[in-house]
């Protein structure tokens, strides 16, 4: 009987470790954050305030120390945005919880919790979107949920790690990475003490075909050392983007010479639309991704040195960022590893749709330049003005097509 009980206890222990992230917990958080009551979590809105309070309450229950302004969980900042020419000013709030392990170095774990509200902020892709709630279940209730579940895991694992952990929920991301920019310009802990930054943006739509997209791969060699084995253990396909600059909050940290890595399950037809709802979330898939991220953090604790920063320059533009005056209105397929820019989604009434470009097409030339990757595409955008006409060449299946595009 004694050996049987020991066996059962051992099995329970292994099962508990294997199931460290539960789909039921993930569903609970997303159901709250992406509910109609949160009204799309527009920056400075009542729904976003309720969401921020929800995050802060959980941080407090987990025993995290307030790491915002004035000894609280919140770091407020002012936001200005325009609606049909009228300027509005609101207060956004980052939410910051600190797991103090008495260490010299801190790992930042981040996700933005704001979304498009009722269609007046950011860039809704739904037609007639004004006054319609954009729940943003994947973008980014899924990433915020990951933040909360990782906070729970590390706060309750009865281990004192070699790093502290700063859990940051950013506001104002949809308006231009405003919350993370504000934090890195007004840090509540010394940036010199930050070892690296792990970001989660849209991790709720895992599919076997796409797997996960890992950005920031080139900002430190440690990501290539640790992530492949963790992904293999979860039987997940992955593709990588070397750049530390992208359309999410890890960019703000990379521009401060901090190694970054972002996890993303790819674009989809509900991106920035009122249809981004909980019914399409893969809860078990998100649990797998969180297992990989937790494993990455646990393995970083075993490294003898902190991640070493590498400048992951865009091979075509060096270490510069580019201001785009034009857009095609497409969502690239970040999981595509072939030559060209594969289109995952096309926005209504934007240049690509007007020219007849469709999801699944692969752009091979644009404005006379061969497009071998997203970087070639970005370089072309940076050289053109609104109203200019260019030729686009693309593959649709085995057929090559050419169209005129007006930016």
């Amino acid at each position: 009987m004694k050996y049987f009980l020991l066996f059962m206890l051992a099995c329970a222990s292994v099962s508990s470790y294997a199931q460290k992230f539960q789909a039921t917990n993930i569903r609970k958080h997303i159901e709250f954050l992406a509910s109609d009551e949160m009204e799309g979590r527009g920056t400075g809105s009542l729904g976003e305030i309720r969401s921020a309070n929800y995050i802060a309450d959980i941080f407090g229950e987990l025993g995290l120390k307030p790491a915002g302004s004035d000894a609280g969980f919140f770091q407020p900042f002012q936001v200005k945005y325009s609606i049909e020419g009228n300027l509005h000013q609101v207060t956004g709030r980052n939410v910051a919880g600190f797991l103090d392990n008495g260490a010299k170095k801190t790992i930042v774990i981040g996700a933005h919790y704001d979304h498009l509200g009722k269609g007046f902020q950011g860039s809704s892709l739904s037609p007639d979107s004004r006054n319609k709630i954009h729940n943003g279940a994947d973008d980014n209730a899924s990433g915020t949920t990951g933040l909360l579940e990782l906070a729970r895991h590390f706060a309750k694992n009865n281990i004192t790690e070699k790093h502290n952990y700063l859990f940051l929920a950013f506001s104002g991301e949809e308006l231009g990475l405003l919350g993370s920019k504000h934090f890195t310009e007004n840090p509540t802990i010394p940036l010199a003490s930050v070892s690296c930054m792990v970001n989660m943006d849209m991790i709720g739509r895992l599919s076997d075909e796409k797997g996960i997209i890992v950005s920031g791969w080139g900002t430190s060699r440690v990501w290539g050392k640790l992530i492949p084995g963790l992904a293999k253990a979860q039987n997940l396909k992955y593709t990588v983007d070397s750049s530390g600059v992208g359309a999410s909050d890890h960019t703000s940290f990379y521009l401060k010479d901090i190694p970054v890595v972002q996890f993303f399950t790819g674009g989809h037809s509900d991106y920035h639309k009122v249809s981004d709802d909980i019914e399409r979330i893969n809860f078990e898939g998100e649990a797998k991704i969180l297992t990989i991220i937790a494993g990455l953090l646990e393995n970083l604790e075993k490294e003898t040195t902190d991640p070493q920063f590498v400048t992951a320059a865009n091979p075509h533009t060096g270490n510069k960022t580019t201001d785009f005056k034009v857009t095609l209105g497409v969502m690239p397929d970040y999981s595509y590893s072939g030559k060209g820019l594969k289109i995952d989604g096309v926005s209504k009434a934007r240049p690509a749709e007007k020219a007849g470009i469709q999801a699944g097409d692969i752009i091979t030339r644009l404005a006379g330049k061969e497009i071998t990757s997203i970087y070639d595409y970005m370089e072309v955008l940076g050289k053109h003005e609104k109203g200019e006409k260019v030729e686009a060449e693309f593959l649709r299946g085995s057929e090559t097509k050419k169209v005129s595009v007006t930016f």
Side-chain angles (χ1 to χ4, degrees):
M1 176 62 77
K2 180 175 78 170
Y3 296 110
F4 175 76
L5 288 173
L6 288 172
F7 172 76
M8 292 300 289
L9 285 169
C11 287
S13 175
V14 170
S15 175
S16 174
Y17 181 81
Q19 299 296 325
K20 64 177 75 173
F21 298 102
Q22 301 288 341
T24 52
N25 292 341
I26 292 169
R27 173 184 280 275
K28 179 186 72 173
H29 293 312
I30 297 178
E31 279 182 342
F32 180 88
L33 293 165
S35 66
D36 284 349
E37 287 73 20
M38 298 304 107
E39 298 183 330
R41 307 185 306 280
T43 298
S45 69
L46 181 58
E48 197 203 45
I49 291 170
R50 289 171 177 163
S51 300
N53 290 341
Y54 178 81
I55 296 164
D57 286 347
I58 291 174
F59 283 173
E61 290 168 5
L62 293 174
L64 302 184
K65 293 183 177 180
S69 305
D70 301 322
F73 282 111
F74 304 119
Q75 184 190 36
F77 57 96
Q78 297 304 302
V79 175
K80 293 181 180 180
Y81 65 97
S82 178
I83 301 176
E84 298 176 349
N86 296 315
L87 191 64
H88 294 257
Q89 181 165 316
V90 296
T91 300
R93 297 193 299 173
N94 294 329
V95 191
F98 189 66
L99 180 58
D100 188 353
N101 287 318
K104 293 182 179 179
K105 301 287 281 187
T106 297
I107 294 175
V108 173
I109 304 169
H112 78 89
Y113 72 100
D114 66 294
H115 194 49
L116 307 185
K118 292 184 177 180
F120 293 99
Q121 295 183 6
S123 53
S124 174
L125 300 180
S126 287
D128 303 319
S129 61
R130 296 299 173 89
N131 280 321
K132 293 181 180 177
I133 295 173
H134 293 62
N135 284 322
D138 187 29
D139 187 10
N140 189 32
S142 66
T144 305
T145 291
L147 183 75
L148 295 172
E149 283 299 287
L150 287 167
R152 178 193 58 79
H153 172 69
F154 283 98
K156 298 299 182 183
N157 64 0
N158 295 317
I159 297 172
T160 301
E161 288 86 8
K162 293 192 299 183
H163 293 87
N164 310 311
Y165 292 97
L166 179 62
F167 297 93
L168 276 172
F170 301 110
S171 178
E173 191 269 358
E174 300 287 10
L175 295 171
L177 316 185
L178 300 184
S180 55
K181 286 178 182 177
H182 180 79
F183 179 85
T184 54
E185 293 298 328
N186 304 273
T188 59
I189 65 169
L191 285 187
S193 72
V194 176
S195 169
C196 60
M197 191 271 187
V198 178
N199 191 37
M200 294 165 286
D201 198 344
M202 296 173 61
I203 58 171
R205 294 285 194 98
L206 181 66
S207 69
D208 292 336
E209 179 185 358
K210 285 187 177 180
I212 52 175
I213 297 95
V214 185
S215 299
W217 192 268
T219 69
S220 180
R221 294 180 179 87
V222 74
W223 310 134
K225 175 183 177 182
L226 299 180
I227 292 174
L230 295 165
K232 184 177 180 181
Q234 293 297 315
N235 197 29
L236 286 188
K237 173 185 173 182
Y238 67 93
T239 52
V240 304
D241 174 14
S242 291
S243 178
V245 175
S248 193
D249 293 302
H250 60 288
T251 299
S252 300
F253 289 81
Y254 171 75
L255 295 176
K256 296 295 185 181
D257 295 341
I258 294 170
V260 297
V261 63
Q262 176 187 251
F263 293 84
F264 172 50
T265 53
H268 48 74
S269 60
D270 299 308
Y271 171 73
H272 277 205
K273 293 182 180 179
V274 296
S275 52
D276 182 7
D277 279 316
I278 194 168
E279 289 79 12
R280 294 178 172 88
I281 297 295
N282 181 352
F283 304 105
E284 295 288 352
E286 179 159 342
K288 287 185 177 182
I289 294 168
L290 295 181
T291 300
I292 290 173
I293 297 173
L296 174 63
L297 294 167
E298 289 160 0
N299 284 335
L300 284 175
E301 295 295 332
K302 300 173 186 176
E303 292 289 300
T304 55
T305 60
D306 277 297
Q308 299 299 299
F309 178 76
V310 177
T311 301
N314 178 327
H316 298 281
T317 62
N319 197 30
K320 301 175 186 175
T321 57
T322 305
D323 293 325
F324 302 126
K325 297 179 182 178
V326 299
T327 177
L328 274 185
V330 299
M331 167 67 77
D333 182 349
Y334 292 98
S335 67
Y336 178 68
S337 57
K339 288 185 68 175
L341 181 79
K342 187 173 183 181
I343 307 303
D344 208 23
V346 179
S347 303
K348 287 186 71 65
R350 299 290 180 91
E353 190 201 45
K354 290 179 179 179
I357 297 172
Q358 302 174 6
D361 292 343
I362 301 172
I363 297 175
T364 55
R365 295 188 71 83
L366 186 64
K369 179 176 177 60
E370 183 180 10
I371 305 298
T372 61
S373 70
I374 192 170
Y375 301 114
D376 294 325
Y377 167 68
M378 291 163 64
E379 184 176 358
V380 171
L381 293 186
K383 292 180 177 178
H384 287 83
E385 304 279 342
K386 286 185 178 180
E388 291 184 354
K389 288 186 178 181
V390 300
E391 185 176 78
E393 184 175 312
F394 58 90
L395 291 173
R396 181 172 293 165
S398 59
E399 185 180 2
T400 298
K401 291 179 172 287
K402 294 182 181 180
V403 295
S404 177
V405 176
T406 301
F407 287 122

